[in-house]
Amino acid sequence: RGLSRHLGADVFLKLDCLQPPGSFKIRGIGETVRRAVEQGATCIVSSSGGNAGLAAAYAASILEVPCTVVLPSTTPADVHERLRGFGAEVVVHGGVWDEADAHARRLVEELGGGYVHPFDQESTWRGHSTIVEELARQLQGPPDAIVTCVGGGGLLMGLLEGVAACGWHKSTKLIAAETEGAASMAKSLAAGELLTLPAITSVAKSLGALRVSTTVFERCRQLGPERVVPVVTTDAAAVGACVRLSAEHRLLVEPACGAALAVV
């Protein structure tokens, strides 16, 4: 109600922060893990130390298959412990995600496992699209807009696919929120070409993709600003929105979520 009063319109929150691994990622990553196991993968390999890795470890534990997560040396120790808490084996390789990911892909070949990318797989987009399927059942009609945060673009792509599948593509805009210092999508759309950021300087580390998915970027560019609206906010605004949410709803979320809340 607080956000609705603030905006003067009905605002609904999709609280995927209450999912068992702590984020929406279990939708898409869970679908990717499920398909990999269904197709005969004997283990799961991920290279994400963030929410995607946690989702992969959780999904693998539910499906009772081993999971290995390759992390760069810069990953905090508490992430290691959270992953091990879901039963994953943690391997440290390289100093940046790209090096860890390259090693993860090699392990997939060696182990006969299923590879799980943090955001750039069709099965992951399909899983994320279930958010819109649920909204279609829960709401009385299509919303004017869906506000989301953008890291690599996996969630955004899933929402776009869900909106199209529900027939909302002509009525519902997607507001793509990023923070300054992690705005790879907004900068790319403004330039008209896919750009790679030199570094992530935002506190919203979950938005820390130097380069968004090529497929997602092209989809957004084709749809144009009438359907996908990029918005960049400050770290201060994102953190302030997190504080406001905690005060009004007794829920604490990370700054990446705050980016979307700040737009509202």
Side-chain angles (χ1 to χ4, degrees):
R1 292 182 179 179
L3 287 171
S4 296
R5 287 196 302 269
H6 172 73
L7 192 63
D10 291 330
V11 177
F12 301 92
L13 298 175
K14 198 64 173 164
L15 297 177
D16 273 26
C17 57
L18 301 179
Q19 296 276 12
S23 81
F24 72 91
K25 288 283 189 179
I26 188 58
R27 295 176 181 269
I29 299 299
E31 175 65 7
T32 294
V33 171
R34 184 194 67 79
R35 290 191 189 186
V37 173
E38 188 177 71
Q39 293 167 7
T42 57
C43 66
I44 297 299
V45 182
S46 171
S47 59
S48 169
N51 291 321
L54 291 167
Y58 176 79
S61 71
I62 294 299
L63 294 175
E64 299 182 335
V65 294
C67 179
T68 298
V69 182
V70 184
L71 304 175
S73 58
T74 52
T75 307
D78 66 301
V79 174
H80 294 221
E81 293 308 311
R82 291 179 68 191
L83 288 166
R84 292 191 180 105
F86 285 133
E89 177 186 358
V90 176
V91 174
V92 179
H93 184 92
V96 295
W97 176 80
D98 300 80
E99 295 171 353
D101 185 62
H103 185 66
R105 291 173 186 265
R106 288 193 292 271
L107 286 179
V108 168
E109 298 299 323
E110 295 174 10
L111 301 175
Y115 172 70
V116 179
H117 191 281
F119 55 81
D120 205 7
Q121 284 174 287
E122 290 186 9
S123 53
T124 296
W125 304 334
R126 173 66 189 94
H128 292 335
S129 73
T130 60
I131 292 176
V132 185
E133 293 175 8
E134 290 174 10
L135 291 177
R137 295 194 298 268
Q138 294 168 332
L139 301 178
Q140 295 181 347
D144 294 321
I146 297 175
V147 183
T148 184
C149 51
V150 180
L155 175 57
L156 176 58
M157 188 64 164
L159 294 174
L160 288 170
E161 291 192 349
V163 164
C166 289
W168 291 356
H169 54 287
K170 293 184 179 180
S171 58
T172 302
K173 292 184 178 182
L174 269 293
I175 312 299
E178 297 171 290
T179 50
E180 295 175 356
S184 50
M185 177 63 83
K187 286 183 177 295
S188 294
L189 289 174
E193 61 179 333
L194 195 57
L195 301 179
T196 301
L197 299 180
I200 299 298
T201 58
S202 171
V203 298
K205 299 304 181 185
S206 291
L207 303 184
L210 297 175
R211 184 182 179 94
V212 298
S213 161
T214 301
T215 304
V216 181
F217 167 73
E218 291 297 342
R219 180 75 169 273
C220 292
R221 185 168 65 168
Q222 290 167 6
L223 290 171
E226 298 80 15
R227 301 264 54 88
V228 181
V229 183
V231 179
V232 180
T233 187
T234 64
D235 279 349
V239 172
C242 293
V243 173
R244 185 178 69 189
L245 184 74
S246 69
E248 294 180 350
H249 295 280
R250 299 299 187 265
L251 290 168
L252 185 62
V253 296
E254 60 184 295
C257 301
L261 291 169
V263 172
V264 177

